[in-house]
Amino acid sequence: MKFFSKVGRRLGAFLGQGTAQPSLSKIIPAEYEAFLQEALRLTKESGVNSSVVYPFLTRQQDKLNEDLIDLIPTFATSNNIVDLFNFANLVQQFPLGQRAVNLEIAIAIYTKALDFFDRQNDASAWAMTQMNLGNAYRSRIRGERGENLEQAIRCYEAALTVYTPTAFPEDWARTQNNLGIAYSNRIRGERGENLEQAIRCHEAALTVYTPTAYPEQWAGTQICLGNAYSDRIRGERGENLEQAIRCYEAALTVRTPTAFPEDWARTQMNLGNAYGKRIRGERGENLEQAIRCYEAALTVYTPTAFPEQWAMTQMNLGNAYKTRIRGERGENLEQAIRCYEAALTLYTPTAFPEQWATTQNNLGNAYEEQGQVAAAIRCYRAALEIRTPSSFPLDCLQTGRNLGNFAYNRQDWENAIHGYDNAIRAIEQSRNWATNPQTKQQLLEEALPLYGNMIEACLHLERYEQALLTVERSKARTFIELLHNANRLPQNATPAQIQQYEQLNREIAALQYALDDQPPTEPPNPQPGQRSLNLPPTSPQTNPLLTLIQQRQA
């Protein structure tokens, strides 16, 4: 709570200069005004102490609702904004109530606070608000996940225009670390580059956070750096995981079970994740080590003391048992299912939608291996309610492919179409967001079998229009990429070549316009059970547009 006290001191110095605004009690319902006044009193008098404020919030959980979010802009004044700001910090971490609503309350307060904090007159208060707003957006449940993370990154980058390593070294390091976490989770952009940026941010933070000057922060940043290396795409995969393990073990030199039991448990869980993915060493022993780490974490993480962390550890333990080599395979699967079902006692689609969907996907994997067809399909379809192509494209691709392939192999064409359609749209969304041509090409290569299986499933159900549309979508996206890559001026081109190139561009544009202006060709009506499609020829010999493009590439 030292950090919150510092917030109050900094903001109070600036806001004491403001003039009081008139009471707005006639506008705000009395019950909400009384709730907020008492909450702010406890926040201020306790020195922003959660052990004092949280019991009050527990008794008044019904007030943490949509109405309160709407009332925040009206209630905030220059006299109470400091306490309201500190209250937002507490609400953001409040473990009870609706997590999504708690975060919206914090976002509403931080956003309103920016009306009172002027970057020129009190830059540090403005920067601190930007950083906390970034934290809230990074954890936000509502809205589109990709945009929330983009907003978080914008907030952190705004804070860094004030926080510099010379003027505010500790705050700069904290913001760099938070920015690194946002880049690790980022959906948009190229995944490999996002993780490289995350690593750069964490390593920057470690230039300030040292094990002697800031041991707790140093250990926490080691964890974040380990997470980034664990997910890293570039470099040698085995060495990346070894680096992650070294980071986690370094953190454990500070995070001991007696001095920092909660942090020790979190590090044990991260170390278990790394051992579960480890390439070097003996695979069976790595998984046993992962299980030992998760079980160690569960000695601290209990469903009453740390419910959210307990659920996450149960899910990870389920993953370890699902892939376990030693022991009896059937019992390992049963144990994995028990762990997933335990996690789902806390993870709900409203309170923890992302984690709920991940657990449903993993539970579907376990049921699939057991041969429980209906249960597996139910879990996959449930996960796709949250893992949408626009919000979680990579996760949607995973679950959509799981459902599609599982149903396809059992000739359950309806569920196969549902899975493949989600997976294909997820790949197309990922290609739109990716900036690296190699990543775009890799995603396209992954998509080709999905397009083929989707078409076959549609044909089995005689959905010929949908099958043809899938064919055209795959062709169109490849064609657009071809146009984009071809539309570049050749290097070291002579004036004559440039003139010829520009002439080809004009001819391509004219032909494309003519083709676009033609009415679509209706496919012949296939007979029931027919398995072929009559499609327009696409070879250069029969397609003048492709011929021109090839000439331009020559």
Side-chain angles (χ1 to χ4, degrees):
M1 292 305 169
K2 293 180 180 178
F3 174 65
F4 296 137
S5 299
K6 183 170 65 175
V7 172
R9 289 195 301 271
R10 287 186 178 181
L11 299 184
F14 167 62
L15 293 173
Q17 303 168 7
T19 57
Q21 297 183 8
S23 172
L24 298 173
S25 58
K26 293 181 180 179
I27 300 175
I28 299 178
E31 58 187 291
Y32 283 95
E33 183 173 29
F35 165 75
L36 285 170
Q37 295 289 7
E38 180 63 10
L40 297 195
R41 184 187 69 81
L42 292 172
T43 299
K44 182 177 182 178
E45 292 181 0
S46 69
V48 200
N49 190 330
S50 61
S51 63
V52 174
V53 179
Y54 283 176
F56 170 73
L57 294 183
T58 300
R59 296 190 299 271
Q60 298 284 330
Q61 284 184 58
D62 62 309
K63 301 296 190 306
L64 300 175
N65 58 28
E66 305 292 337
D67 292 335
L68 184 65
I69 298 171
D70 295 337
L71 292 171
I72 292 300
T74 303
F75 180 80
T77 70
S78 60
N79 286 338
N80 66 20
I81 193 62
V82 174
D83 297 328
L84 196 60
F85 178 94
N86 288 330
F87 174 67
N89 294 340
L90 293 174
V91 169
Q92 186 175 349
Q93 302 298 327
F94 185 52
L96 303 179
Q98 297 182 53
R99 173 74 170 151
V101 173
N102 295 344
L103 287 167
E104 293 302 310
I105 293 170
I107 289 172
I109 294 173
Y110 295 140
T111 302
K112 185 62 181 175
L114 290 173
D115 292 340
F116 294 90
F117 306 155
D118 185 89
R119 187 184 183 280
Q120 279 67 42
N121 292 327
D122 193 86
S124 62
W126 179 85
M128 190 172 297
T129 306
Q130 291 285 2
M131 184 174 66
N132 288 10
L133 185 58
N135 293 342
Y137 270 112
R138 199 183 76 221
S139 304
R140 194 184 190 199
I141 294 171
R142 295 184 181 176
E144 199 271 309
R145 176 65 173 160
E147 179 52 34
N148 287 337
L149 287 168
E150 295 304 304
Q151 182 61 43
I153 290 171
R154 287 191 288 269
C155 290
Y156 294 139
E157 290 177 341
L160 287 172
T161 64
V162 172
Y163 290 155
T164 65
T166 51
F168 300 96
E170 186 178 354
D171 293 324
W172 176 82
R174 182 183 296 110
T175 309
Q176 287 285 359
N177 196 46
N178 289 337
L179 183 59
I181 296 171
Y183 270 111
S184 283
N185 295 330
R186 194 184 189 201
I187 296 171
R188 300 182 184 175
E190 201 273 311
R191 178 64 174 157
E193 178 53 34
N194 287 338
L195 288 168
E196 295 305 304
Q197 182 61 41
I199 289 171
R200 288 192 288 269
C201 289
H202 296 315
E203 289 178 340
L206 287 173
T207 62
V208 173
Y209 289 157
T210 65
T212 51
Y214 299 96
E216 293 181 48
Q217 294 87 339
W218 174 83
T221 307
Q222 289 287 354
I223 294 297
C224 296
L225 183 59
N227 293 343
Y229 270 111
S230 180
D231 294 334
R232 194 185 189 200
I233 296 171
R234 300 179 185 175
E236 200 274 309
R237 178 63 175 156
E239 178 53 33
N240 287 338
L241 289 169
E242 295 304 305
Q243 181 61 41
I245 289 172
R246 286 193 288 269
C247 289
Y248 297 140
E249 290 177 340
L252 287 173
T253 61
V254 173
R255 294 181 162 187
T256 64
T258 51
F260 302 100
E262 183 181 357
D263 293 332
W264 173 83
R266 184 180 300 111
T267 309
Q268 288 288 352
M269 185 168 63
N270 291 338
L271 188 57
N273 293 343
Y275 272 111
K277 294 184 286 188
R278 194 184 190 200
I279 296 172
R280 299 180 184 176
E282 199 272 311
R283 176 63 176 160
E285 177 53 34
N286 286 338
L287 288 169
E288 295 303 305
Q289 181 61 41
I291 290 172
R292 287 193 288 270
C293 288
Y294 295 137
E295 290 177 340
L298 289 172
T299 62
V300 175
Y301 288 158
T302 65
T304 52
F306 300 99
E308 186 176 349
Q309 294 86 342
W310 171 83
M312 185 178 298
T313 310
Q314 288 287 355
M315 183 175 69
N316 290 342
L317 184 58
N319 294 342
Y321 272 110
K322 182 162 62 69
T323 54
R324 192 185 191 199
I325 296 172
R326 300 178 184 176
E328 199 274 313
R329 184 61 187 155
E331 177 52 35
N332 287 338
L333 283 173
E334 287 296 326
Q335 183 61 42
I337 290 171
R338 285 193 289 270
C339 290
Y340 294 140
E341 290 177 341
L344 289 173
T345 61
L346 178 78
Y347 288 158
T348 66
T350 52
F352 299 96
E354 187 176 352
Q355 295 88 338
W356 177 82
T358 299
T359 309
Q360 289 286 357
N361 178 76
N362 295 346
L363 184 57
N365 294 160
Y367 280 132
E368 178 179 339
E369 188 169 345
Q370 278 193 331
Q372 297 193 45
V373 177
I377 289 175
R378 183 180 67 249
C379 290
Y380 289 143
R381 290 189 70 106
L384 286 173
E385 294 174 8
I386 303 297
R387 291 182 156 186
T388 64
S390 59
S391 296
F392 302 97
L394 295 179
D395 293 333
C396 179
L397 169 60
Q398 179 191 52
T399 304
R401 184 193 285 121
N402 287 344
L403 174 60
N405 290 342
F406 183 61
Y408 176 90
N409 292 333
R410 284 155 183 77
Q411 299 185 3
D412 178 356
W413 308 119
E414 191 72 49
N415 281 305
I417 290 172
H418 184 72
Y420 289 138
D421 180 60
N422 276 277
I424 288 169
R425 288 189 290 122
I427 281 184
E428 291 174 352
Q429 181 65 80
S430 297
R431 282 169 60 83
N432 284 339
W433 286 343
T435 57
N436 187 301
Q438 287 76 23
T439 301
K440 287 177 177 285
Q441 182 61 32
Q442 182 181 354
L443 287 167
L444 180 60
E445 291 172 0
E446 289 183 13
L448 291 178
L450 303 181
Y451 280 111
N453 289 355
M454 174 72 168
I455 293 166
E456 184 177 349
C458 290
L459 292 175
H460 274 288
L461 295 184
E462 300 183 8
R463 296 182 184 174
Y464 303 114
E465 184 177 350
Q466 189 174 3
L468 183 60
L469 178 62
T470 302
V471 172
E472 293 301 324
R473 282 172 67 189
S474 63
K475 288 166 53 185
R477 296 197 67 81
T478 305
F479 181 67
I480 289 170
E481 288 293 323
L482 184 61
L483 279 175
H484 175 75
N485 292 331
N487 192 22
R488 296 171 182 166
L489 189 67
Q491 292 182 350
N492 303 320
T494 65
Q497 289 173 328
I498 292 173
Q499 184 178 2
Q500 182 182 10
Y501 181 80
E502 291 174 346
Q503 176 62 29
L504 284 170
N505 277 342
R506 286 192 291 271
E507 292 180 20
I508 288 170
L511 183 53
Q512 179 63 58
Y513 178 82
L515 290 173
D516 289 343
D517 197 44
Q518 293 177 359
T521 303
E522 293 293 333
N525 293 325
Q527 298 299 316
Q530 186 174 331
R531 296 291 303 281
S532 63
L533 290 172
N534 295 320
L535 301 173
T538 58
S539 68
Q541 292 76 17
T542 56
N543 191 321
L545 185 58
L546 289 179
T547 302
L548 287 171
I549 292 173
Q550 288 188 351
Q551 290 178 14
R552 182 171 63 179
Q553 289 178 312

